[in-house]
Amino acid sequence: MFDASIKKRQASRPWGQWSLRAVALIYLSAMLLLPLAAVVSDGLSGGIQGLWQDISRPAAMAALRLSLWTAAVMTGINTVMGVLAAYVLVRYRFPGKAFLNALIDVPFAIPTLVTGLMLVVLYGPQTAIGGFLDRRLGIDIIFAPPGIILALLFVSFPFVVRTVQPVLTEIDLDQEDAAATLGASSWTTFRRVLLPALAPAVISGALLSFARALGEFGSIIVVAGNFPLRSQTAAVYVLSQIESDNQRGASAMSVVLLAMAFTLVFVVDFIQRRQERRNA
Amino acid sequence: MSIVIQDLVKHFGAHAVVDHVSLEIHDGELLVLLGPSGSGKSTILRIIAGLIPADGGRVFLHGRDVTHLTPQQRNTGFVFQNYSLFRHMTVAENIEFGLEARHVPKAQRTAKSNELLALVGLGGLGGRYPKQLSGGQQQRVAVARALAFEPSVLLLDEPFGALDVKIRAQLRLALKEIQQRVKVTTILVTHDQEEAFELGDRIGVIDRGRLLEVGSPTALYRSPQQEFVATFLGGANLMAGQVKEGRVNLGSLELSDAVSYTTVDPEGRLEVLFRPEDLTLATAREELTIPVLGQGVIEQVLFLGTLQRLRLRLHPLPNTWRLPAEFGETGLPIQVARVPRSDGHLDFQAGQQVWVGINNFHILPRIPMRVLVGIDESANAEKLLTYGEMLARATGGLVTVVTMAEDKATAEQLAILARETVGTQSPLMEFHARVGRATDEILGQAKAGEYDLLLLAEPRKDSPRAETTFRELVRRSPLPLLIVKGEQTTIRRILFCTAGGEPGKRNIIFGGRLARRTGAGTTLLYVDPASAPTFGGGGPNRPAPNLARPTPPWIAKHLAEGTLTLRNQGISAEIQERSGVVVDEILKEAEKGEHDLIVIGRHLEGGTARLGSIDLTSEILQRAPCPVMIVTEDPGVSI
Amino acid sequence: MREPKGWVPKLLIGIAVLYLAVLILLPVLAIFQGAFAQGAAVFFESLNDPQVIAAFWLSIQLAIAAVVINTIFGTTVAWVLVRQEFFGRAFFNALVDLPFVVSPVITGYMVILLFGRQGWFAPLVKATDTQIAFAVPGMLLVTVFVSLPFVIREVMPVLREIGHEPEQAAHTLGASSWRTFVRVTMPGIRWGLLYGISLTLARALGEFGGVLVAGGAVTGKTETATLYIFAALDERQYISAYAVAVVLALFSFTVLIGMEILRKRTEITQ
């Protein structure tokens, strides 16, 4: 009886719905899964051992290390500043707020290459600021890790703000007021009332910006150039391997980067779905 | 009939949201489906509109089977709870949308939308967008949109749910007027009983996916057939009175005339409904010229404008309970509604002692016994059906006949034969043909529906397969089982059998139910098996030493209690004690007392009672000259 | 929302404003200053170069093609992911976000691995005598890949919010699936869709790493606006690079302002 009812249900689903689903899934598979499969299979063609060999070369390791630590530093700064900016934008009224809010989306809209160019124009050795920092303080920005961090800060800034903002809007101001009437200080209120509610969004935003930073290319190639062992990040390393026709090196690094990106995306997806369930 | 739905079933997961619902709605009728939220009423509506596929059952609109048609092909007007107006279209465009989909020329569409706007009282607002209208206006647009293409039926899903109380009342009147003018067959779903009363030509009450009762508002309010319906529609005071020697009183209200097998439940109680307005209050007993329920204390007085609603607690009355029982409280809480006098005279206050008189009452019929009759190819169908019909008539019960075979044609053939045997005139019987293994089909039915008794024929001796099926049914049936054999077609004397070990209670309670309804006399038999070293499988010819021993005290107690239980229900009962080979003695007693039904208890598998052994059961089944009823002794289940 | 009272809120606002000014506003102003350092005439002159115009033209063509493809398929994907339930839906839903985090260089590299000389589809490419890797089709694939999530991610929440009922209502009124889509679903999601298209367009125009790898940056053939900037920097033609960058940035701002207007609009209609 149960089987029969299922068959009937399937029969009554119009063909149109089936074909739409087929189109959607084939499109996603062809556009996303197929290319991914190509890279992964090429990267793993020499087995895990081969992959390790290619990735453990000094230039590769240095590039990966550089990418990871600059991305980590950026994530730390942007998480704090992103939450702060989101809080200020949601909770307070002040002149120029609309402009500030629009400014946050600029990094999403501007091509990353142009971002890199902007930073070079601003902080390059020939410019006023860059020259000052270089000669007086001995800090290199362009072609050095600080430039990379600056570029990453710019391109990833919207992530945390834009994930935290809607959640913060949802949380009623009454909750903060309630905490205040219960005698909690502003800091305690933030720590005990707001932060727990915001945590999933903050973590999601931070992880996404970290993942995004690992793969960043356009701004970094301009700001940091392509100097192996010094300012070459993982993505730039992949480019240099492609240009020197070293497919194995390129594929190995690609697989490592993809694995990290995959993991992060699915972790974020998990956090968000758990949150949705909890709110439901 | 404009709308006919047959045996509609819908599951969400393992949960049955719509549970075998059948319904017929007349041309031009407005039927309200009323039920608490989550009762499945909206699901039924959506299945009719084709928005959700049903798992089973059929839908007919104006005689056309639309079960497998898309919503587009059904031509139903549907009004959604939150209207689902197209926000980007004007009111007129919304209304014309259905006509546009039917390729009606623009001029006609405009004419029609103007006509409908006038009908719903929104003339001239066609150019507005939905968000520019109030909630009530939007609702009227939704109705107009659903009516524009002259649908065959109109379906409304909680159409007033999103509106505030005052507008709701206005729109109800308007809707009723429109429906009567357009004369479109309508189903309206709501959880609001006031709405149901005001709008419905008939009301169908739904609870947990089952359609409990359908009837006119007055009929359902004044004489509901079920507790749920009584309590869901309006305020209800439900009380039960104990029948003692055929007499029952609630206060000075004499209800003995109403005592019959259709009104008294297995515990011998009669259930009575008083509406709050059926009761009259007085400060002194003498003021009441009507039957007096009793005296009580007013606990709360609520002023509701035209009405005054009082909650009071009656002092305990003999042999009377409130339903559902209130745990740990004494007295009988009741609700009373009265029209306060405009001069404020005779107003009551909380704490006051008052007398309560009864103007009106309704006795709830108890749910009749439902019997399931299983027929397969091997059974002697004719005798079984005759017996089933006798049971149905005697108990006022409903009989469901299931015919089973391995193939469809045979099963249907059997059903036709069964129908012919009974004669089509019996309204108490319904017939189903099922294909599959007899055991599974019967047990499936026994679990799916709510039946009280399973009726089977003795298997033919020449069919080993029938024998196996039969044994399995006897072993696994969750229902009491009555096996028809011998020539008897009446129940006049029932023999209850008890042997050593733990005696059953359920067989007496359940058998008593049958006895009371058929007017049969009963005998409680105890056979002392001690003198027979083995019994049951031990064979019938073992000599029984005639050694009389005292009956164990727990057996004596059980027999005494059993007779009392039966006599309390007005059934004559006597005790017989015998000793010897159990089966032999039972059969001897049956013959001697001219019993025409033997009742034995059977413990569920794993039970310990010795009489419960299958071997004994099957031996009695084989040798008994009359029908045998086997009652499962499941301590977890009470009847 | 409230007026900032006391020094803590003011400090917080101050920090946020300062951070955004230094991080985002200052660089933006710097490039404008750089582009116009030698006057407006030089700026416009450098834009009037045939190579620059060709590069812009290619960028625009790629972006429009990507928008068309991702609008059609993105809407379909969004509808299927929201309205249908099937095994693997959660997986595909998560998959959609992947282009956000896959490095553009790797995206370009994928095209080479699939369609390059030793790629998976090399025989097919050879048989049909088409050039995909190191040519415009490969660049298009990259552009479609990187801009794939936007339409889907903007349309999905709108579809979810509208709910199934308007579509069901249309069905009960007798509208076919196609009519329902055109007359009911589309108008419902139009602002969200437009928003997604804007983002797709901006992302597609600004793509750099992927088209660099997949297209090979051949002047006059596979050189987009971003690739032109990169080449101009290499050749130390700074003003020209800045000028093209400024045009791209201006375009981004236009899109941004357009989106802000759209957002206001969607907020009002909801």
Side-chain angles (χ1 to χ4, degrees):
Chain A
M1 192 176 136
F2 188 61
D3 286 343
S5 73
I6 283 181
K7 266 180 220 139
K8 221 179 289 166
R9 215 177 311 164
Q10 284 173 345
S12 65
R13 188 187 270 284
W15 273 107
Q17 299 213 8
W18 283 102
S19 40
L20 276 183
R21 187 191 299 177
V23 167
L25 299 190
I26 289 171
Y27 180 67
L28 289 181
S29 305
M31 281 310 299
L32 302 177
L33 283 182
L34 185 70
L36 283 173
V39 176
V40 172
S41 80
D42 196 67
L44 293 176
S45 59
I48 295 287
Q49 209 125 43
L51 182 81
W52 175 246
Q53 239 168 36
D54 289 320
I55 207 71
S56 58
R57 286 165 51 197
M61 283 311 259
L64 201 54
R65 252 198 309 271
L66 180 63
S67 275
L68 285 170
W69 83 256
T70 49
V73 170
M74 175 282 292
T75 306
I77 298 175
N78 263 354
T79 305
V80 174
M81 294 314 293
V83 172
L84 185 120
Y87 186 83
V88 163
L89 283 172
V90 171
R91 286 288 188 258
Y92 298 127
R93 209 171 315 165
F94 56 92
K97 192 175 111 159
F99 178 73
L100 205 66
N101 196 18
L103 207 56
I104 287 172
D105 277 333
V106 167
F108 270 161
I110 284 190
T112 55
L113 180 75
V114 175
T115 303
L117 201 54
M118 288 172 174
L119 294 176
V120 171
V121 173
L122 191 60
Y123 299 107
Q126 301 89 348
T127 65
I129 302 177
F132 171 79
L133 290 173
D134 185 17
R135 278 186 293 277
R136 293 290 161 87
L137 304 176
I139 302 173
D140 276 339
I141 290 193
I142 300 311
F143 301 129
I148 297 175
I149 295 174
L150 213 52
L152 294 181
L153 282 174
F154 186 101
V155 299
S156 326
F157 186 69
F159 280 98
V160 174
V161 184
R162 289 295 183 233
T163 44
V164 169
Q165 234 174 344
V167 184
L168 203 54
T169 314
E170 292 272 299
I171 300 173
D172 214 327
L173 200 55
D174 285 354
Q175 288 199 11
E176 281 167 67
D177 289 347
T181 62
L182 295 170
S185 70
S186 307
W187 174 240
T188 311
T189 306
F190 177 76
R191 207 164 42 86
R192 296 290 308 279
V193 179
L194 273 185
L195 212 52
L198 290 182
V202 173
I203 294 169
S204 297
L207 289 180
L208 275 180
S209 62
F210 184 79
R212 171 80 174 75
L214 282 183
E216 175 51 25
F217 172 74
S219 60
I220 290 178
I221 187 91
V222 178
V223 169
N226 188 355
F227 303 107
L229 300 169
R230 213 183 90 202
S231 67
Q232 191 184 55
T233 62
V236 179
Y237 172 84
V238 174
L239 177 77
S240 71
Q241 297 302 299
I242 297 169
E243 282 179 337
S244 56
D245 241 347
N246 180 3
Q247 194 168 318
R248 284 182 53 187
S251 292
M253 183 61 86
S254 298
V255 167
V256 171
L257 286 177
L258 281 177
M260 289 194 276
F262 248 119
T263 314
L264 289 167
V265 163
F266 279 94
V267 167
V268 168
D269 187 62
F270 174 76
I271 294 173
Q272 279 170 349
R273 271 193 292 155
R274 201 181 57 168
Q275 194 60 18
E276 267 166 36
R277 258 203 309 273
R278 233 179 252 175
N279 293 343
Chain B
M1 292 293 155
S2 288
I3 306 174
V4 176
I5 55 186
Q6 284 178 356
D7 207 26
L8 221 52
V9 177
K10 177 75 192 176
H11 289 92
F12 287 155
H15 177 64
V17 196
V18 178
D19 193 358
H20 299 276
V21 169
S22 299
L23 188 59
E24 296 188 349
I25 297 130
H26 313 292
D27 292 341
E29 185 183 23
L30 198 165
L31 181 112
V32 175
L33 283 181
L34 175 67
S37 54
S39 58
K41 51 196 191 311
S42 289
T43 309
I44 296 175
L45 210 63
R46 279 158 190 269
I47 291 174
I48 297 174
L51 297 172
I52 303 178
D55 293 342
R58 315 196 74 78
V59 178
F60 298 86
L61 299 179
H62 292 283
R64 184 170 67 128
D65 184 349
V66 299
T67 312
H68 299 294
L69 297 185
T70 63
Q72 287 95 333
Q73 296 163 321
R74 296 193 187 202
N75 210 34
T76 54
F78 200 105
V79 176
F80 292 82
Q81 181 171 7
N82 43 20
Y83 322 134
S84 280
L85 294 178
F86 306 130
R87 287 186 293 197
H88 58 280
M89 294 184 198
T90 62
V91 167
E93 282 169 340
N94 263 286
I95 295 173
E96 288 171 35
F97 187 83
L99 298 168
E100 190 191 316
R102 287 166 177 75
H103 308 290
V104 174
K106 176 71 186 157
Q108 269 171 270
R109 292 195 325 238
T110 315
K112 188 76 192 177
S113 84
N114 286 336
E115 179 195 325
L116 277 159
L117 279 170
L119 180 72
V120 298
L122 293 177
L125 295 184
R128 299 248 183 119
Y129 282 91
K131 64 182 174 217
Q132 296 170 300
L133 300 181
S134 72
Q137 289 172 323
Q138 289 185 22
Q139 195 263 1
R140 282 184 274 173
V141 175
V143 172
R145 182 178 74 176
L147 286 174
F149 55 97
E150 290 166 11
S152 60
V153 298
L154 180 62
L155 307 170
L156 304 123
D157 186 5
E158 300 260 10
F160 308 107
L163 299 168
D164 58 55
V165 183
K166 213 163 186 178
I167 296 171
R168 223 184 270 193
Q170 281 173 15
L171 284 183
R172 279 207 291 258
L173 287 175
L175 180 75
K176 182 96 184 169
E177 214 179 291
I178 292 167
Q179 195 264 342
Q180 279 167 352
R181 205 178 309 168
V182 184
K183 293 193 185 65
V184 61
T185 311
T186 304
I187 301 181
L188 184 145
V189 155
T190 182
H191 64 270
D192 180 344
Q193 51 120 339
E194 204 181 315
E195 202 170 299
F197 280 156
E198 200 170 320
L199 289 172
D201 295 324
R202 283 192 303 157
I203 297 172
V205 181
I206 296 198
D207 181 41
R208 283 170 287 178
R210 299 173 71 155
L211 182 61
L212 299 179
E213 252 177 79
V214 185
S216 72
T218 350
L220 287 189
Y221 185 73
R222 294 279 21 140
S223 42
Q225 305 295 300
Q226 295 182 38
E227 259 181 44
F228 179 87
V229 179
T231 50
F232 193 69
L233 292 176
N237 300 301
L238 281 172
M239 285 192 190
Q242 179 77 50
V243 182
K244 288 259 155 133
E245 285 148 9
R247 299 178 59 80
V248 58
N249 287 304
L250 292 183
S252 76
L253 180 65
E254 168 79 47
L255 295 170
S256 304
D257 288 349
V259 172
S260 79
Y261 62 78
T262 55
T263 53
V264 178
D265 73 1
E267 281 78 41
R269 298 190 304 189
L270 190 74
E271 195 171 348
V272 186
L273 164 71
F274 310 98
R275 292 295 178 189
E277 65 276 15
D278 290 341
L279 302 172
T280 301
L281 299 184
T283 43
R285 187 178 182 129
E286 301 74 55
E287 291 171 30
L288 293 168
T289 53
I290 47 177
V292 175
L293 190 57
Q295 197 186 18
V297 182
I298 297 177
E299 291 189 330
Q300 191 185 45
V301 182
L302 292 174
F303 174 66
L304 301 169
T306 47
L307 273 185
Q308 195 179 37
R309 198 172 276 276
L310 300 96
R311 229 185 48 201
L312 48 96
R313 186 173 292 276
L314 286 184
H315 303 317
L317 293 170
N319 299 321
T320 306
W321 301 270
R322 178 186 181 267
L323 295 174
E326 202 187 21
F327 187 79
E329 293 281 342
T330 56
L332 307 162
I334 56 171
Q335 303 173 43
V336 177
R338 60 191 289 275
V339 182
R341 284 173 48 165
S342 51
D343 56 6
H345 190 64
L346 250 187
D347 264 354
F348 294 97
Q349 262 104 49
Q352 204 175 339
Q353 289 268 356
V354 286
W355 287 91
V356 182
I358 306 164
N359 292 307
N360 212 339
F361 64 91
H362 167 65
I363 293 175
L364 287 174
R366 55 155 284 93
I367 300 162
M369 180 174 273
R370 302 212 292 170
V371 181
L372 180 65
V373 180
I375 297 179
D376 66 1
E377 289 157 273
S378 72
N380 182 344
E382 201 177 328
K383 199 160 66 190
L384 188 60
L385 287 165
T386 316
Y387 200 89
E389 205 193 355
M390 176 277 293
L391 261 184
R393 286 192 193 286
T395 61
L398 300 167
V399 175
T400 304
V401 178
V402 182
T403 58
M404 299 150 305
E406 302 283 339
D407 63 295
K408 200 173 173 201
T410 318
E412 277 169 2
Q413 187 64 30
L414 279 171
I416 292 167
L417 279 174
R419 212 184 286 262
E420 280 171 0
T421 310
V422 177
T424 42
Q425 73 276 16
S426 175
L428 296 176
M429 301 189 98
E430 56 171 7
F431 297 86
H432 295 290
R434 299 296 288 259
V435 180
R437 224 165 69 92
T439 331
D440 297 336
E441 290 306 315
I442 294 218
L443 293 177
Q445 280 284 320
K447 275 180 198 134
E450 283 184 356
Y451 296 97
D452 300 305
L453 181 63
L454 172 59
L455 212 60
L456 290 177
E458 189 185 20
R460 282 206 309 249
K461 299 276 183 281
D462 55 355
S463 166
R465 201 177 53 147
E467 181 76 30
T468 324
T469 306
F470 179 76
R471 278 175 161 274
E472 200 177 338
L473 279 175
V474 170
R475 197 163 56 79
R476 283 174 48 197
S477 169
L479 299 177
L481 202 67
L482 201 159
I483 289 98
V484 179
K485 61 182 294 184
E487 302 306 318
Q488 288 86 348
T489 51
T490 53
I491 303 178
R492 295 193 200 287
R493 292 200 56 80
I494 301 177
L495 180 67
F496 293 97
C497 305
T498 302
E502 194 181 325
K505 291 196 180 83
R506 198 173 179 236
N507 55 354
I508 290 176
I509 294 170
F510 189 83
R513 221 172 136 184
L514 264 185
R516 195 180 66 241
R517 287 158 183 223
T518 52
T522 60
T523 304
L524 269 72
L525 172 68
Y526 167 67
V527 181
D528 176 11
S531 44
T534 55
F535 53 90
N541 298 321
R542 198 172 292 271
N546 206 1
L547 278 170
R549 294 190 319 167
T551 306
W554 69 89
I555 298 285
K557 182 164 174 276
H558 170 68
L559 292 172
E561 278 173 1
T563 41
L564 190 67
T565 308
L566 292 167
R567 283 178 187 151
N568 272 348
Q569 300 175 64
I571 301 161
S572 75
E574 54 173 282
I575 296 176
Q576 286 289 333
E577 292 173 44
R578 285 170 172 263
S579 68
V581 178
V582 174
V583 178
D584 291 354
E585 297 302 317
I586 289 174
L587 295 177
K588 271 187 219 159
E589 178 62 34
E591 196 181 345
K592 194 196 104 198
E594 294 181 334
H595 291 100
D596 42 26
L597 180 64
I598 298 173
V599 179
I600 52 180
R602 170 172 67 81
H603 284 257
L604 283 178
E605 278 169 81
T608 51
R610 285 181 282 173
L611 188 65
S613 87
I614 291 287
D615 283 310
L616 180 79
T617 312
S618 47
E619 199 176 332
I620 292 179
L621 275 178
Q622 260 176 29
R623 293 171 52 199
C626 63
V628 176
M629 183 156 82
I630 303 164
V631 180
T632 307
E633 291 291 351
D634 178 358
V637 175
S638 66
I639 305 182
Chain C
M1 215 178 303
R2 49 180 61 161
E3 303 296 333
K5 269 187 230 134
W7 63 271
V8 175
K10 286 191 177 129
L11 180 72
L12 292 180
I13 294 170
I15 294 172
V17 171
L18 195 70
Y19 185 73
L20 280 165
V22 171
L23 185 71
I24 297 172
L25 194 59
L26 210 57
V28 171
L29 296 177
I31 195 144
F32 276 84
Q33 193 265 333
F36 289 95
Q38 295 177 22
V42 182
F43 173 83
F44 286 113
E45 202 179 304
S46 57
L47 285 180
N48 203 9
D49 180 345
Q51 198 188 334
V52 173
I53 292 169
F56 267 117
W57 181 229
L58 182 60
S59 278
I60 291 168
Q61 281 177 311
L62 283 173
I64 289 176
V67 162
V68 170
I69 292 172
N70 274 332
T71 302
I72 295 171
F73 288 103
T75 311
T76 313
V77 169
W79 194 87
V80 168
L81 286 180
V82 171
R83 290 280 188 266
Q84 296 194 355
E85 287 202 15
F86 52 91
F87 179 76
R89 183 172 73 162
F91 170 77
F92 279 103
N93 190 29
L95 196 68
V96 167
D97 283 334
L98 215 63
F100 280 146
V101 291
V102 170
S103 178
V105 182
I106 298 178
T107 309
Y109 183 49
M110 289 168 175
V111 172
I112 295 175
L113 282 179
L114 286 174
F115 298 101
R117 263 167 296 140
Q118 281 122 34
W120 284 14
F121 298 124
L124 190 76
V125 169
K126 212 173 257 172
T128 52
D129 199 26
T130 45
Q131 185 81 16
I132 294 181
F134 307 113
V136 175
M139 297 164 78
L140 177 61
L141 279 178
V142 167
T143 314
V144 170
F145 181 96
V146 298
S147 60
L148 182 138
F150 294 103
V151 164
I152 301 174
R153 282 291 170 251
E154 293 303 324
V155 169
M156 275 180 73
V158 184
L159 269 179
R160 210 172 280 143
E161 204 212 275
I162 294 173
H164 206 172
E165 266 190 8
E167 288 168 19
Q168 288 188 327
H171 287 158
T172 64
L173 294 169
S176 64
S177 300
W178 177 245
R179 183 185 291 274
T180 303
F181 180 76
V182 174
R183 296 277 279 130
V184 176
T185 312
M186 257 326 249
I189 61 171
R190 60 189 161 180
W191 298 119
L193 184 62
L194 216 53
Y195 201 81
I197 288 175
S198 312
L199 288 169
T200 309
L201 194 64
R203 182 72 184 82
L205 272 178
E207 175 48 26
F208 165 64
V211 291
L212 172 69
V213 174
V218 182
T219 308
K221 268 177 78 184
T222 60
E223 189 174 72
T224 63
T226 50
L227 293 180
Y228 174 84
I229 297 174
F230 194 53
L233 280 179
D234 234 19
E235 292 160 21
R236 296 176 181 277
Q237 296 183 1
Y238 292 116
I239 298 295
S240 189
Y242 297 166
V244 174
V246 159
V247 172
L248 283 177
L250 278 176
F251 175 79
S252 302
F253 295 145
T254 317
V255 171
L256 215 60
I257 293 165
M259 288 188 337
E260 201 60 28
I261 294 167
L262 274 182
R263 177 150 45 194
K264 291 251 164 67
R265 202 143 188 175
T266 39
E267 272 165 18
I268 289 165
T269 49
Q270 278 158 19

